[in-house]
mmCIF file of all heavy atoms in Angstrom:
data_model
loop_
_atom_site.group_PDB
_atom_site.id
_atom_site.type_symbol
_atom_site.label_atom_id
_atom_site.label_comp_id
_atom_site.label_asym_id
_atom_site.label_seq_id
_atom_site.Cartn_x
_atom_site.Cartn_y
_atom_site.Cartn_z
ATOM 1 N N THR T 35 -42.299 -25.623 47.954
ATOM 2 C CA THR T 35 -41.633 -25.094 49.158
ATOM 3 C C THR T 35 -40.168 -24.817 48.863
ATOM 4 O O THR T 35 -39.455 -25.706 48.402
ATOM 5 C CB THR T 35 -41.748 -26.119 50.297
ATOM 6 O OG1 THR T 35 -43.113 -26.503 50.419
ATOM 7 C CG2 THR T 35 -41.230 -25.525 51.599
ATOM 8 N N PRO T 36 -39.695 -23.615 49.124
ATOM 9 C CA PRO T 36 -38.249 -23.334 48.897
ATOM 10 C C PRO T 36 -37.394 -24.014 49.946
ATOM 11 O O PRO T 36 -37.824 -24.231 51.060
ATOM 12 C CB PRO T 36 -38.164 -21.808 49.014
ATOM 13 C CG PRO T 36 -39.330 -21.419 49.883
ATOM 14 C CD PRO T 36 -40.406 -22.403 49.631
ATOM 15 N N SER T 37 -36.214 -24.334 49.600
ATOM 16 C CA SER T 37 -35.263 -24.954 50.555
ATOM 17 C C SER T 37 -34.042 -24.062 50.699
ATOM 18 O O SER T 37 -33.694 -23.324 49.791
ATOM 19 C CB SER T 37 -34.852 -26.352 50.073
ATOM 20 O OG SER T 37 -34.227 -26.251 48.829
ATOM 21 N N GLY T 38 -33.344 -24.140 51.843
ATOM 22 C CA GLY T 38 -32.139 -23.317 52.084
ATOM 23 C C GLY T 38 -30.975 -23.734 51.234
ATOM 24 O O GLY T 38 -30.917 -24.841 50.748
ATOM 25 N N PRO T 39 -30.039 -22.826 51.076
ATOM 26 C CA PRO T 39 -28.863 -23.148 50.259
ATOM 27 C C PRO T 39 -27.996 -24.169 50.944
ATOM 28 O O PRO T 39 -27.812 -24.148 52.149
ATOM 29 C CB PRO T 39 -28.144 -21.804 50.142
ATOM 30 C CG PRO T 39 -28.615 -21.006 51.319
ATOM 31 C CD PRO T 39 -29.987 -21.448 51.619
ATOM 32 N N ALA T 40 -27.506 -25.080 50.147
ATOM 33 C CA ALA T 40 -26.613 -26.124 50.675
ATOM 34 C C ALA T 40 -25.173 -25.728 50.420
ATOM 35 O O ALA T 40 -24.791 -25.457 49.306
ATOM 36 C CB ALA T 40 -26.946 -27.451 50.002
ATOM 37 N N ALA T 41 -24.351 -25.687 51.486
ATOM 38 C CA ALA T 41 -22.921 -25.334 51.330
ATOM 39 C C ALA T 41 -22.149 -26.492 50.761
ATOM 40 O O ALA T 41 -22.407 -27.634 51.102
ATOM 41 C CB ALA T 41 -22.357 -24.925 52.693
ATOM 42 N N PRO T 42 -21.214 -26.221 49.899
ATOM 43 C CA PRO T 42 -20.395 -27.320 49.352
ATOM 44 C C PRO T 42 -19.496 -27.889 50.434
ATOM 45 O O PRO T 42 -19.180 -27.244 51.421
ATOM 46 C CB PRO T 42 -19.597 -26.645 48.249
ATOM 47 C CG PRO T 42 -19.539 -25.205 48.630
ATOM 48 C CD PRO T 42 -20.796 -24.918 49.354
ATOM 49 N N SER T 43 -19.125 -29.115 50.233
ATOM 50 C CA SER T 43 -18.246 -29.776 51.195
ATOM 51 C C SER T 43 -16.865 -29.146 51.148
ATOM 52 O O SER T 43 -16.442 -28.611 50.132
ATOM 53 C CB SER T 43 -18.155 -31.272 50.871
ATOM 54 O OG SER T 43 -17.521 -31.409 49.611
ATOM 55 N N PRO T 44 -16.102 -29.216 52.253
ATOM 56 C CA PRO T 44 -14.751 -28.617 52.254
ATOM 57 C C PRO T 44 -13.867 -29.199 51.187
ATOM 58 O O PRO T 44 -13.075 -28.510 50.591
ATOM 59 C CB PRO T 44 -14.248 -28.932 53.655
ATOM 60 C CG PRO T 44 -15.481 -29.070 54.480
ATOM 61 C CD PRO T 44 -16.504 -29.669 53.584
ATOM 62 N N SER T 45 -14.016 -30.486 50.955
ATOM 63 C CA SER T 45 -13.158 -31.086 49.942
ATOM 64 C C SER T 45 -13.457 -30.513 48.578
ATOM 65 O O SER T 45 -12.596 -30.358 47.742
ATOM 66 C CB SER T 45 -13.347 -32.608 49.943
ATOM 67 O OG SER T 45 -14.700 -32.899 49.621
#
Side-chain angles (χ1 to χ4, degrees):
T35 309
S37 61
S43 65
S45 61

